[in-house]
Every structure is written in C-alpha cells, then in structure tokens.
Amino acid sequence: MAEDLMLDTAIRDWVLIPLSIVMVLIGVLRYFVSKLMRTSQLPDSKIIKEGQLIIRARNLRAAANFIPPKAFRARKVYYTNEENGLLYVPKGQGQNPQAQMFSDPNMAMDMMKKNLSMIVPQTLTFAWVNFFFSGFVAAKIPFPLTQRFRSMLQNGIDLSTVDVSYVSGRSWYFLNLFGLRGLFSLILGEENATDDTQRMMQMSGFGFDPSKSLGAEKDGLDIVQHDWVLPKFEQRAEAVLRKRLS
Amino acid sequence: MAGHDDSGASGKKSSENEVPTFNVENMQSNMKVVYYSRTFMSIIGGVIAGILGFTGLMGFVVYVLVMAITSVCLTAKAGFSIHSYFDSWNRVLMDGFLGGLLSFVLFWTFAYDIVHIF
C-alpha cells in the first residue's frame, strides 16, 4: 500500500507554508505581549527576603569546605538555631504563603493573564486550522507509523486505504507546535513564553517555594559534613609560586 | 545568537588538588552554547534529510549522525579538555540529545514535502 500520491502544488503554497508562518508570527507576538504585560508586577518583599535567605544558605552549603571548621559551625548555628535561627519556620506559619498566594487578587490575576496569553492563541489557531484545513491530505511524514495513529493524524480523511503517512492539516499544526519550540529558543533568546511545559513547572513550583524549601535547606545544612580541604594551602601556594617562577 | 560556537565556551576555574570547584555562571553559559548548537544543527540536519529524500529509519540515523557530529565539533572547540569547561563527559555528549528531535522531524517533513511531493 505504498503508492505515491501526487499532491497538488497549491497545497504546498497555501497550507504548509502559511500555517508555519502564522505560527511563527503568533509565537513572536505572544513573546512581545507577555514581555509587555510582565512589567506591571510588584514583587513581594517577604518572598524576596526568603528567596535570598535560601540562596545564602545554599551558598554556605556549597562552599562549606573552604572555610575553617569553627567559622562554618558558627554560620550553621546562625541559620539552623532552634529559637531564632533564620531557617526555622514553625509549622503554623509554613502554610501562610500558599494561602496568601491564592487569596491575593493581584497574583491570581497575574496567573490568569499568563494562562490566557498562552491558551487563547493556541485555541484560536487550532479552530482556524480545523475550519480551513480539514478534509484533505496536507503532508506526508517521511517515516511510517502504525495503524493506531491513523485516527489521530488523519481526522478529516475518511478513506481507510490511504497510507498513514499522509496526514491532514491538524497533524501539521501539532507538528509545528512542538517543533517550533526549538526555533523560538534560537530567535527569541531564552526568556520566551512559548514553552508550555516549562511554564507549567514554574507555576506549580511557585506556590510551595517559601515554606517547604526553608525546611529543606535547614535539613541540608544539618547533614553537611565539614571537611576542610585547605589546611595545607600555604604549601600549595608555595608550590604554585615555585612552578611559576622556575 | 544562532549558537554555532561563536560566543565561545567560557572556561571554569578549578583548583588543582582534588577539589573540583565550578563557576556556576560559566557552566550555565556553556550549557546554553551546547543547547543552541544542538538545536541549530538539528534544524539544519532536518532540512538536509528532507532534501536528500531519506525516509523512515534512515532519517533517524541521519539525526543520530548529526548529533554525533555536533558532539565531536563541540569537543574539538573545547580543545579536547572537557574537564575545564564541563563537569562531566555526559554533559557535552548526551545532554539535549533528544531535545532537538521534534524540530528535526518538523523540518525534515517540511523539506521532504516541498522537494519530493510536488
């Protein structure tokens, strides 16, 4: 069943290329719109303070082996002390940021705006593709797929003898959707809002960040074993200097 | 910003005796260079595979080949001393291997259709 269908050139000109161009343009437009809408965000000082605290604790943990043991212990106690250590968060307060996030109208609006700016163009484009480009073979994908994909890829074509490689316009839309992510990351730089999965991960991690990661950092600091690696650094400096001067 | 190694990989300072230290920013910038290179090469590889008319398994072989060439070129650019630019071999060889697959397939389909199914 590997007959070679000869497809009309007009399909190339009026389906494949315009759809790709439209998706690229919509992606660029979405990037600029999201950049414009993002500037009106007032950062919450409490959350920023906690974030910086976490960064400091993490730096201490990463560079723990470069400071003498006494200094490290002093810093560790400063962070993890039970009464007034900075990382110690009583259980009751821990839930606060999350509840505050959902009840705070500003942040909820922000999340909704981001959601909309992502979902609406995709839905509109999908509806447009379905309306105009359904019911005919649009492209041939160069590798064979099993019969189970037929219903997914050939939704407008009702002939069952056509090879599964010949797909309809809807599947070209999906192929573009996933494949243009790489292109966008090249032409728009890293900070682009076109990657759904990345954005969803960011959004789901935002609510829990302050309360849980403080506890995680405290535990991390507690289990760090200090191993001072620079006890002989005078000899090492001497060796390096000798090598340089000789 | 087409990342074919023109921004240059930044070296990381690592002290000689057994302690590996990494400058995180430089490492991240190196990883970004690797990512851009792979994405760019997968797009180019897709167009090449489509124009040459590869179908089926051969096309994926072309993808693996292109990724391998990219790895070799990145290694050569790093002067074959991987450890002063990345923290392990896996980073430069394996990271992002499959990330360019979708872009590859898109441009492969595109080029193949435009050239062969006219």
Side-chain angles (χ1 to χ4, degrees):
Chain A
M1 199 101 42
E3 75 277 357
D4 250 357
L5 284 184
M6 207 47 112
L7 295 174
D8 196 1
T9 312
I11 301 184
R12 302 285 95 55
D13 296 344
W14 294 100
V15 173
L16 290 194
I17 298 181
L19 191 53
S20 297
I21 292 183
V22 163
M23 291 190 73
V24 169
L25 290 179
I26 286 186
V28 171
L29 192 70
R30 200 166 42 183
Y31 168 67
F32 283 122
V33 164
S34 72
K35 258 217 315 198
L36 282 178
M37 289 208 298
R38 203 175 297 180
T39 55
S40 60
Q41 191 183 31
L42 207 56
D44 189 13
S45 75
K46 183 164 182 301
I47 293 193
I48 287 188
K49 259 200 273 188
E50 286 175 354
Q52 299 286 9
L53 187 58
I54 292 175
I55 291 177
R56 271 163 49 196
R58 213 172 280 171
N59 281 344
L60 175 64
R61 203 153 37 112
N65 293 331
F66 293 110
I67 50 181
K70 255 189 244 171
F72 173 67
R73 237 176 288 140
R75 285 174 173 82
K76 191 168 103 158
V77 163
Y78 177 60
Y79 281 114
T80 63
N81 193 9
E82 289 290 316
E83 285 103 41
N84 51 4
L86 294 181
L87 288 184
Y88 184 65
V89 168
K91 277 298 191 304
Q93 268 186 21
Q95 297 302 318
N96 237 354
Q98 185 192 359
Q100 191 184 25
M101 163 138 345
F102 285 132
S103 63
D104 193 2
N106 262 349
M107 271 190 252
M109 263 301 288
D110 215 22
M111 262 196 258
M112 223 167 54
K113 262 195 275 188
K114 273 194 216 168
N115 258 334
L116 282 185
S117 84
M118 190 67 50
I119 303 248
V120 163
Q122 276 189 16
T123 318
L124 283 182
T125 315
F126 188 54
W128 178 65
V129 165
N130 265 345
F131 179 64
F132 279 111
F133 299 133
S134 65
F136 60 91
V137 170
K140 176 180 193 293
I141 48 179
F143 49 91
L145 290 174
T146 63
Q147 295 295 320
R148 282 193 294 163
F149 288 100
R150 180 184 288 270
S151 64
M152 185 167 67
L153 297 177
Q154 282 190 345
N155 67 318
I157 308 165
D158 291 326
L159 307 169
S160 59
T161 55
V162 173
D163 211 356
V164 189
S165 297
Y166 292 97
V167 297
S168 68
R170 190 191 283 189
S171 54
W172 177 246
Y173 168 73
F174 279 121
L175 198 60
N176 266 8
L177 191 64
F178 294 124
L180 285 177
R181 267 189 287 166
L183 188 68
F184 283 140
S185 78
L186 278 183
I187 60 181
L188 294 179
E190 316 88 35
E191 187 60 40
N192 56 343
T194 52
D195 203 352
D196 303 354
T197 53
Q198 222 180 32
R199 203 190 44 95
M200 273 194 277
M201 277 195 309
Q202 258 181 14
M203 202 164 300
S204 59
F206 188 42
F208 281 153
D209 242 1
S211 51
K212 276 210 184 147
S213 49
L214 283 187
E217 281 301 318
K218 174 171 176 300
D219 294 338
L221 262 186
D222 276 339
I223 58 179
V224 163
Q225 291 219 359
H226 183 256
D227 186 19
W228 197 27
V229 294
L230 303 179
K232 297 194 184 13
F233 56 90
E234 294 113 346
Q235 277 104 338
R236 199 169 81 80
E238 176 199 351
V240 168
L241 279 176
R242 274 191 201 281
K243 226 186 331 177
R244 285 267 168 180
L245 294 174
S246 68
Chain B
M1 150 121 34
H4 207 60
D5 288 331
D6 49 52
S7 57
S10 344
K12 308 182 327 285
K13 187 73 189 75
S14 71
S15 38
E16 276 85 32
N17 291 353
E18 315 92 25
V19 176
T21 58
F22 306 110
N23 184 350
V24 179
E25 289 173 4
N26 280 355
M27 208 161 75
Q28 278 179 349
S29 141
N30 291 350
M31 296 311 299
K32 250 187 269 179
V33 166
V34 169
Y35 175 67
Y36 287 147
S37 303
R38 283 199 192 277
T39 312
F40 189 66
M41 284 305 293
S42 62
I43 290 180
I44 300 284
V47 174
I48 290 179
I51 292 179
L52 293 182
F54 289 117
T55 61
L57 202 56
M58 276 300 296
F60 289 109
V61 166
V62 167
Y63 177 68
V64 172
L65 209 63
V66 164
M67 283 293 122
I69 292 178
T70 313
S71 299
V72 167
C73 288
L74 283 171
T75 316
K77 173 81 177 180
F80 287 105
S81 66
I82 290 286
H83 289 292
S84 65
Y85 291 106
F86 301 96
D87 52 348
S88 76
W89 275 96
N90 278 347
R91 294 272 195 183
V92 67
L93 290 183
M94 296 293 159
D95 203 20
F97 206 81
L98 296 180
L101 187 64
L102 286 170
S103 303
F104 174 81
V105 166
L106 170 69
F107 282 93
W108 181 25
T109 309
F110 201 38
Y112 183 79
D113 282 347
I114 287 185
V115 171
H116 290 269
I117 318 246
F118 239 107

